[in-house]
Amino acid sequence: MSEQRSAEATAAAASVPAFSKSEMMIVAAARELAGQRVCFVGVGLPNIAVNLARITVAPELELVYESGAFGAKPARLPLSIGDPTIVTGATAAVSMFELFSFYLQGGLVDVGFLGAAQVDRYGNLNSTVIGDYEHPKTRLPGSGGACEIAINARQVFVIMRQSKRSFVDRIDFRTSPGNLGGAEAAARVRREQGWLGRGPSVVVTDLGIYHFDDSGEMRLDSIHPGATLEQVRDTMGWEPRVAEPLVTTPAPTPEELRLIREELDPEGAYTK
């Protein structure tokens, strides 16, 4: 019987096509969107993830793009936030002022999808500078709408590759507030400032999936196939909290991979 079970497990594993780390990130992020309704998203990996979710686990998902499109169904992979394909099938195309004032600040966005150059244990994000602000080693694109998304979307999803350069003990600049110095302090500031959002709820990387515990700190809840705890620890600037038990992220299904490779990113611009 044990030989039969081993053979069945081997056959099941062999039936799953090989996948890249980027594809694993996209699939993991898409699954986290199950049951969500309105998602504010940018281009790149987040865009592929939310469109995959819309096709699979969240058919009612409405996509909102910073350039002013609400309820869009892009006919192809957008090249930038200003790509005309973003308005394909949109429920509305409005000005950026209207989008931020009436939709985002009006509390109508359930999930904001963000990336960054740096993240700390409390989900605070830096996309402004690396190094000292006055004399930075690298000047980054800045906030754009990221700060407003972070404080007004009901919850924030973060997707980014994991390294010691990006997962740091202390970010060089707080562009987008997460849980500040902890959940208690963040809750107080949100009340005082009238922020609508609850802050970050999930971080998806090329190694695993993190959620936030009661203290407001990231906790590794799921590790991707092929990744190890040693790799996780070697790519973070602090000792991570780890769920007990720590589970393995289910591998992408053949259908999820087909959708990514044939419909969402057929040229592999973001997934190879």
Side-chain angles (χ1 to χ4, degrees):
M1 284 295 287
S2 62
E3 292 179 359
Q4 181 181 350
R5 284 195 296 268
S6 177
E8 289 173 352
T10 301
S15 67
V16 178
F19 52 88
S20 68
K21 288 185 175 182
S22 293
E23 288 171 332
M24 183 72 256
M25 290 174 67
I26 290 165
V27 169
R31 292 169 180 166
E32 290 285 326
L33 284 165
Q36 299 295 341
R37 189 68 176 81
V38 179
C39 182
F40 202 120
V41 64
V43 296
L45 290 177
N47 181 68
I48 302 173
V50 297
N51 276 284
L52 178 62
R54 183 173 57 82
I55 299 170
T56 55
V57 299
E60 301 300 318
L61 193 64
E62 298 278 359
L63 310 189
V64 183
Y65 289 90
E66 188 174 346
S67 52
F70 188 96
K73 298 178 177 63
R76 57 171 171 78
L77 184 68
L79 301 176
S80 70
I81 203 66
D83 193 324
T85 195
I86 283 176
V87 301
T88 306
T91 303
V94 300
S95 69
M96 291 180 67
F97 172 79
E98 290 173 300
L99 183 70
F100 277 82
S101 298
F102 304 142
Y103 289 86
L104 182 60
Q105 295 175 10
L108 300 180
V109 174
D110 297 316
V111 177
F113 237 119
L114 296 176
Q118 292 179 329
V119 62
D120 66 16
R121 70 185 68 203
Y122 295 113
N124 300 297
L125 302 174
N126 171 26
S127 55
T128 302
V129 295
I130 301 298
D132 178 72
Y133 182 80
E134 298 296 334
H135 305 283
K137 296 177 182 177
T138 304
R139 189 167 292 281
L140 302 167
S143 174
C147 181
E148 286 75 15
I149 294 168
I151 65 178
N152 289 302
R154 289 174 183 163
Q155 54 183 315
V156 172
F157 285 15
V158 178
I159 183 169
M160 55 192 294
R161 292 179 175 85
Q162 193 168 326
S163 73
K164 277 202 169 177
R165 294 177 61 188
S166 58
F167 277 58
V168 296
D169 185 53
R170 183 180 178 88
I171 57 177
D172 293 331
F173 187 93
R174 185 190 293 154
T175 309
S176 305
N179 288 323
L180 303 177
E184 186 176 341
R188 183 181 67 253
V189 171
R190 289 184 186 113
R191 287 195 304 269
E192 293 173 350
Q193 298 298 322
W195 296 351
L196 300 177
R198 300 193 300 270
S201 58
V202 60
V203 178
V204 178
T205 79
D206 51 343
L207 297 179
I209 302 172
Y210 300 81
H211 297 97
F212 290 80
D213 63 17
D214 291 341
S215 72
E217 186 170 333
M218 288 168 54
R219 179 190 63 233
L220 179 66
D221 284 344
S222 178
I223 193 165
H224 296 333
T228 66
L229 266 178
E230 183 179 7
Q231 285 179 303
V232 170
R233 292 189 170 103
D234 286 346
T235 52
M236 299 180 75
W238 70 92
E239 179 62 27
R241 298 186 178 186
V242 179
E244 181 59 47
L246 178 63
V247 301
T248 299
T249 312
T253 67
E255 176 61 10
E256 287 169 331
L257 292 174
R258 185 196 69 78
L259 289 168
I260 293 171
R261 295 169 181 177
E262 296 182 14
E263 297 187 24
L264 300 176
D265 189 17
E267 296 184 6
Y270 296 99
T271 55
K272 291 183 178 177

